[in-house]
Amino acid sequence: VQLQASGGGLVQAGGSLRLSCAASGRTFSSYDMAWFRQAPGKEREFVVAIRSSGGSTYYADSVKGRFTISRDNAKNTVYLQMNSLKPEDTAVYYCAARTGKILSTLRFAYTYDYWGQGTLVTVSS
């Protein structure tokens, strides 16, 4: 599976952006999909994930109520709608995919098999 993230950019605090992650392959619907982010000088952190089966979603507390993940299996694409952006949301955002892993490990980066190249989101104050 190859992942291509896009949609990053510069936005003012309070603004919105929508990230997209397009996946290659025919089995997209069988993958859990997630977004992680890494700010300068910080470790990569979990942002949000959506399960393959049923589409249940899981959010980091820091983005709950502001970010929304969705997927379109017909288009092999996962989206991240980011609203009410804050300067602390500034980071490189990575999409990731995995299959065959248990729910309790959803937030751990090491459980993901495939990663996109990252897209930079900069939120100015």
Side-chain angles (χ1 to χ4, degrees):
V1 174
Q2 291 186 322
L3 304 175
Q4 181 72 38
S6 61
L10 173 64
V11 63
Q12 289 188 330
S16 299
L17 280 176
R18 189 175 84 154
L19 306 184
S20 299
C21 177
S24 65
R26 300 180 181 179
T27 59
F28 176 76
S29 61
S30 67
Y31 286 88
D32 295 337
M33 299 297 297
W35 291 92
F36 289 77
R37 67 186 181 186
Q38 188 166 17
K42 295 187 176 181
E43 294 186 351
R44 191 170 300 190
E45 65 173 357
F46 171 80
V47 178
V48 60
I50 185 167
R51 290 280 272 178
S52 60
S53 57
S56 298
T57 57
Y58 303 85
Y59 293 87
D61 288 343
S62 58
V63 306
K64 201 171 295 183
R66 300 187 298 121
F67 290 12
T68 303
I69 189 171
S70 61
R71 66 190 298 161
D72 186 338
N73 290 336
K75 295 183 177 180
N76 281 13
T77 302
V78 63
Y79 304 99
L80 180 62
Q81 178 66 43
M82 306 186 294
N83 298 327
S84 302
L85 282 161
K86 304 175 181 180
E88 51 263 44
D89 294 318
T90 295
V92 177
Y93 283 71
Y94 298 90
C95 60
R98 68 177 205 169
T99 186
K101 308 295 194 327
I102 60 175
L103 176 60
S104 62
T105 63
L106 198 65
R107 298 170 184 261
F108 298 107
Y110 73 87
T111 67
Y112 287 80
D113 305 305
Y114 306 100
W115 291 84
Q117 83 289 3
T119 185
L120 176 62
V121 172
T122 303
V123 185
S124 63
S125 57

